[in-house]
Amino acid sequence: MQYEQIGGLKHLPDLGLFVQRLLARSRLTEEEQHAIMALPTYEMEVRARQDFVPLGEETDYCCYIASGLVARVGQVKNGSRQTTALHIPGDMADLHSAVRPIGIGGLTALTDTLILRVPHAAVRTLGRDFPAIAEAFWRDCILDAAILMQWAVNLGRKDARSRLAHILCELAIRYGGGRGYPLLEFDLPMVQEQLGDAAALTSVHVNRSLKTLRQERLVTVRGGIVQIHDWQRLMQAGEFDPTYLVNDTFPDRQKRLVFQ
């Protein structure tokens, strides 16, 4: 795993992106931010297609995504898997495990991924000592629950084209920092099989649907890169409302979020 070089020195991974994610929805003082950054972490490199939190396994740490792309998965008896969420850098993929250590679903790396393991005991102590941090963590878990609910609706009630459009819209907002402003071009190193696991589609249906979205000049997904050509029409195609992803701490700003 290569770390970013800054001035000839290695820039080691930290929890900075996680703090930014929390600040998108919560007010935290500098002291509270520094306390989160001071959490102990232990690096773990995971190769692509490798499970690092198996289904039903009990852990004593949370998994922070420092780099790479991670899927939360469920599995049925015949071995078939369903992706129920995607986790990008900055996500604490299983923050809830600090209070429920038996995993809800498994975690698997879709790409070579760097994980920072954060001990549950340290997370609980931090929440006890800083009530505002505990509230921010609670709000972050609610965000994950909101994403899961939207995915359930997306997979259960939409056609193939709409499912993929919704997933791409969600990632555009999340890669943009979760503040309502989409990133119109971003890396998405997923093969069609993995997109199919996320959208409950075969690779053939994924290919056809992406071709349709490209022909409609909404979005192009090629070579692991997503380029959104018409954000508003892509949202309409996916019946996507970004409200569930954006901040709920500053209600006066809700009306000014960029939905077009």
Side-chain angles (χ1 to χ4, degrees):
M1 186 73 63
Q2 297 294 317
Y3 299 138
E4 182 182 357
Q5 297 287 324
I6 299 180
L9 299 175
K10 288 182 177 180
H11 176 59
L12 299 178
D14 58 30
L15 299 176
L17 286 177
F18 179 55
V19 172
Q20 291 180 30
R21 168 173 161 141
L22 295 177
L23 289 174
R25 297 166 185 85
S26 301
R27 292 184 175 92
L28 295 171
T29 66
E30 287 192 12
E31 180 187 9
E32 291 160 346
Q33 294 174 46
H34 291 155
I36 297 170
M37 292 290 290
L39 281 167
T41 61
Y42 304 90
E43 294 180 15
M44 177 174 64
E45 295 184 356
V46 186
R47 294 299 181 189
R49 297 180 179 270
Q50 179 182 340
D51 294 344
F52 59 94
V53 177
L55 288 156
E57 180 177 279
E58 184 171 348
T59 63
D60 59 3
Y61 54 84
C62 301
C63 294
Y64 169 75
I65 315 303
S67 66
L69 185 63
V70 167
R72 176 171 298 284
V73 297
Q75 183 171 312
V76 295
K77 289 183 178 180
N78 67 5
S80 298
R81 287 186 165 193
Q82 175 63 51
T83 296
T84 59
L86 294 172
H87 293 289
I88 66 175
D91 289 0
M92 193 75 74
D94 53 353
L95 182 59
H96 61 269
S97 69
V99 293
R100 190 189 188 280
I102 299 178
I104 303 174
L107 294 174
T108 186
L110 300 181
T111 65
D112 288 351
T113 298
L114 180 63
I115 305 297
L116 300 186
R117 295 186 296 184
V118 185
H120 286 163
V123 173
R124 291 194 296 267
T125 297
L126 192 65
R128 181 195 65 207
D129 294 344
F130 294 90
I133 293 178
E135 183 177 336
F137 285 172
W138 186 4
R139 188 174 285 113
D140 195 66
C141 289
I142 290 173
L143 171 64
D144 285 338
I147 289 173
L148 178 61
M149 186 190 74
Q150 291 294 327
W151 276 50
V153 175
N154 192 43
L155 300 186
R157 294 298 177 186
K158 297 180 185 178
D159 61 26
R161 170 179 168 275
S162 293
R163 293 180 199 179
L164 288 171
H166 179 98
I167 291 171
L168 296 175
C169 285
E170 178 182 290
L171 290 172
I173 293 290
R174 291 171 63 195
Y175 275 118
R179 296 178 184 270
Y181 300 90
L183 192 62
L184 300 182
E185 181 173 331
F186 55 90
D187 293 338
L188 186 63
M190 296 175 69
V191 299
Q192 290 189 358
E193 176 189 359
Q194 293 168 335
L195 276 172
D197 288 341
L201 300 169
T202 66
S203 295
V204 172
H205 278 90
V206 169
N207 184 54
R208 289 175 180 170
S209 299
L210 290 179
K211 182 178 180 180
T212 297
L213 291 170
R214 183 176 68 252
Q215 290 173 338
E216 293 174 339
R217 295 293 299 163
L218 303 185
V219 63
T220 298
V221 181
R222 181 181 292 121
I225 298 175
V226 176
Q227 294 178 307
I228 297 174
H229 309 302
D230 191 323
W231 172 244
Q232 187 164 15
R233 288 178 57 223
L234 186 64
M235 283 198 302
Q236 292 171 352
E239 298 182 42
F240 177 76
D241 179 351
T243 304
Y244 72 101
L245 293 173
V246 298
N247 92 54
D248 54 2
T249 304
F250 311 107
D252 58 312
R253 287 171 50 186
Q254 289 276 6
K255 296 178 182 178
R256 297 203 299 271
L257 293 171
V258 178
F259 295 159
Q260 66 267 13

